[in-house]
Each structure stands twice: as structure tokens, then as C-alpha cells.
Amino acid sequence: MRITRSIPLAADTPIALTIGNFDGVHLGHQAMLARLREAAARHGIPACVMTFEPHPREFFAPDQAPTRLTSLREKLELIAAQGVERMVVCRFNYEFAQIAAQDFIERTLVKALGVRWLLVGDDFRFGARRAGDFVMLKQAASRFGYEVEAMASVTLDGERVSSTAVRNALAAGDLAYAGRLLGRPYSISGRVVRGDGLGRKLGFPTANMQMKHNRPPLTGIFVVELSGVAERPLRGVASLGIRPTVKPGGQPVLEVHVFDFDGDLYGKHVRVDFLHKLRDEEKYADLATLTRRIALDVENAKAFFSRQDSSQYPLEGCAKEKLNGTAHPSSLPLAPEGEGKQLPPLSLWERGRG
């Protein structure tokens, strides 16, 4: 997948495009990307996604913005796994937010990107003061020679599939429902860094993950699988939280104790799939009590896998299958950024699909 944070003076080829934040790349997003791919194939042109960094809500109201489900890298990997050929990551800033909707259509979509076919959410708004909508895009389509379609919401069990629904399920510890909304287990990817060594001292060495999520959407103790080290995922138990017994008031830390593993993980980029929540994070009176609790967590996690292996306990975080015949997104190479001048500014872009 070709990724760019800049845009040429003129398009090198016509494209099929969709626009949105795509946080989590859930089933609703995947349905939109499938429709994008189909249209791109029908027209014989590349499929392209435009997204924003930071999220507009993070820019305008960082204290009120929802927690991210995916880092930018995770989002790019997941979108690449859906067969998208190009990605434009727009830098969202004040200048970006002030562009008029009509100017964005003509200067960016038509002249710079060469949009031949466009897909947006049914409640998509864009441009300064959110003045642009599907009706405006439709009115401009005949004048500029592109097609535009609106995508209806995808529902699951009567609920609209959205990033908000995924966040709510994760916050409630309902990994099964979150997995159904995502079409895969919820995961966090990152590089293994050196921690304080406390886990090893307690008899449970851990891989400490470099967190890109300052406010993770879930906390607690979990049954997990770790990928990116061996041919098959490694099983383990993870703690995601502030470690109240060790360092009250600290930043969130993701620590994974991998069962029966003695290798060196430092520096490796890995993915942690969250399969089942064992319990909430707790503060204990001393390290001896914490150690006994960790031992019980390990025992319970191994029991989970034992039940899963005997087919008496389905994989709670949703079946992990290859996406559209490709490898898992964390294994896909990403092309370097394109060259050209900086993207022109946009406005408060909200795809509305979460």
C-alpha cells in the first residue's frame, strides 16, 4: 500500500476514494472498504482511503475526545489488509479546518487526487463549519465528472456498528461482543521495551509493551496471545493498567507474561490479542499478595486455553482468520510516503461512522 502525507499538484491517475477516521477498522469500515474495492476494480482504478491525524475531535477538544482503538500504524496495517492500494493521511490543524467545502471538492478531490468515484457515510459532513454534505457532493458530481455514493450504517444484533460501540464493549469487559463488532479479537501492537524487572523478580517475567495508547480502551487482567515472535501465537496472561500496587498514579502499562518462553523479546514489534478478561486491576497490600494473585491468574488463563483446545469453550475474542486471503495486517509491508507539497487544509471532517 502506498502511503502519503502530501499531495501532488495534479493527480497521476484517477482513483476511487472513501474518507473517514476508520478508528478500529470495524465491520462497518470493512463493508465500506469492500464496496470501495469493488468500485475500483469495476473502473480499473486504484482504491484509496483518506484519513486524518490527529482525529478532529482530538484536535478541537483533546480532553473530551474518545480514546483511540488503534494507533495510526495499526490503522494503516488493518486498512492495507483490506486490499486498499493507496492511503492519504491528512494532517489536521487549524488551517486544515478552515477550508471551504466547495474548495475542497474542486481543489483536492478533483484536481489534486483525481477522484473518479467517491464513497462516504450517509451522515458525512465536511468543510468549514461542517457546511458540506452528501447533497453538495452529489450536486458537484456532474460538473466535475465523478460518481458519488452514500453508505448506509451496518448493524449487528440491532445495534449500529461503530467505534463507539466497540469502545463501550471493551470498557465493559465484553471481549466477545467487541470481537464480533471488529470481526477479529481486539489487539494492541507495539515494540517490546525494557521495564523495571519486577515481574522477573516475582517469578513471572513479562514483555513490556511500548504504549501508543495514552488512554487504552480497556484495563484489567486478560488471557492473551502474542504474535510476531514465532510461527504460531504465544499464549500468556497480560496486565493492562496503572499497576496500583507497584506505582500508584502511574501511566498505563501493558505487560505480558508468556507461558513457557525463554527467548529475548526486547526490541521486537509484536501484537497482543485480547481473548478473555479475567478480572479488573486491583491494589494489594504487599508484593507477596500480588505474587499469589498473579499465580492464580496464570492458572486461570491456562484453564481457559485448555477449555478452548477441548472445544468446550469457544474463542471469546472472535475467530482469528486471515483477512480477505491475506496475512494478518501486522505482517504486511507498508510503502514509504509519497512526495509532493503538503496537503491543503480541510475542516471538521466527521465521517459519522465512528
Side-chain angles (χ1 to χ4, degrees):
M1 184 172 71
R2 191 176 86 177
I3 303 169
T4 180
R5 296 174 190 261
S6 61
I7 197 164
L9 294 175
D12 59 351
T13 184
I15 62 169
L17 179 73
T18 190
I19 305 171
N21 292 305
F22 293 94
D23 188 23
V25 193
H26 52 60
L27 291 181
H29 297 142
Q30 293 170 38
M32 178 165 264
L33 295 175
R35 189 164 166 183
L36 173 72
R37 289 197 317 272
E38 188 277 330
R42 187 172 67 248
H43 289 282
I45 55 180
C48 180
V49 169
M50 175 182 283
T51 193
F52 314 102
E53 183 64 27
H55 188 295
R57 284 188 237 173
E58 292 177 344
F59 177 77
F60 285 110
D63 293 338
Q64 301 174 27
T67 182
R68 288 197 188 197
L69 296 172
T70 46
S71 67
L72 178 59
R73 173 171 177 158
E74 290 168 327
K75 177 164 64 175
L76 296 178
E77 290 173 342
L78 288 164
I79 291 175
Q82 294 292 315
V84 173
E85 298 161 89
R86 298 186 178 195
M87 189 89 181
V88 177
V89 181
C90 299
R91 180 68 181 173
F92 198 92
N93 53 30
Y94 279 113
E95 184 183 11
F96 195 99
Q98 293 169 359
I99 191 170
Q102 288 285 2
D103 288 342
F104 175 74
I105 294 174
E106 182 173 357
R107 296 177 185 176
T108 303
L109 294 184
V110 177
K111 292 184 178 179
L113 293 178
V115 171
R116 177 76 57 80
W117 186 89
L118 177 64
L119 179 66
V120 297
D122 51 11
D123 53 359
F124 177 66
R125 303 299 295 251
F126 65 98
R129 298 180 179 84
R130 304 178 76 239
D133 58 10
F134 178 74
V135 173
M136 180 182 288
L137 290 169
K138 191 74 172 176
Q139 290 172 343
S142 58
R143 180 156 56 102
F144 292 114
Y146 64 83
E147 300 175 55
V148 59
E149 297 181 17
M151 179 88 178
S153 297
V154 173
T155 60
L156 178 67
D157 297 341
E159 179 181 16
R160 179 174 175 268
V161 177
S162 67
S163 302
T164 298
V166 177
R167 291 186 196 100
N168 291 341
L170 292 174
D174 191 350
L175 298 188
Y177 189 56
R180 292 181 64 206
L181 291 166
L182 292 166
R184 64 184 187 279
Y186 178 72
S187 63
I188 293 178
S189 299
R191 196 165 301 281
V192 179
V193 298
R194 294 191 180 276
D196 56 16
L198 178 61
R200 185 171 298 277
K201 294 176 183 176
L202 299 179
F204 300 96
T206 60
N208 296 270
M209 297 277 294
Q210 187 177 48
M211 292 286 292
K212 298 295 185 181
H213 305 65
N214 292 326
R215 293 182 297 134
L218 73 174
T219 59
I221 312 302
F222 302 90
V223 180
V224 300
E225 286 186 337
L226 185 145
S227 299
V229 178
E231 291 185 4
R232 295 176 61 85
L234 303 177
R235 294 174 166 182
V237 62
S239 169
L240 176 52
I242 60 172
R243 306 197 304 169
T245 305
V246 178
K247 191 176 181 181
Q251 293 296 313
V253 175
L254 174 55
E255 301 174 290
V256 182
H257 172 65
V258 181
F259 303 149
D260 307 316
F261 181 79
D262 294 325
D264 185 2
L265 297 177
Y266 292 124
K268 295 186 181 297
H269 193 276
V270 299
R271 186 187 77 248
V272 178
D273 291 343
F274 294 81
L275 308 183
H276 173 69
K277 183 171 183 177
L278 293 173
R279 60 179 178 88
D280 290 329
E281 192 175 38
E282 298 178 54
K283 181 175 181 178
Y284 298 102
D286 50 46
L287 293 180
T289 306
L290 172 63
T291 302
R292 290 193 296 271
R293 182 70 244 208
I294 294 173
L296 182 58
D297 292 334
V298 169
E299 181 181 335
N300 288 334
K302 289 182 176 180
F304 172 91
F305 285 118
S306 179
R307 291 191 296 269
Q308 176 188 309
D309 292 341
S310 64
S311 300
Q312 297 175 11
Y313 198 93
L315 181 59
E316 184 165 318
C318 187
K320 293 178 289 182
E321 299 175 354
K322 291 184 178 181
L323 302 177
N324 299 313
T326 68
H328 190 280
S330 65
S331 66
L332 294 175
L334 299 178
E337 294 181 0
E339 298 181 354
K341 71 175 185 177
Q342 188 65 31
L343 280 169
L346 291 178
S347 133
L348 180 57
W349 297 88
E350 289 197 4
R351 182 168 170 272
R353 309 190 70 77

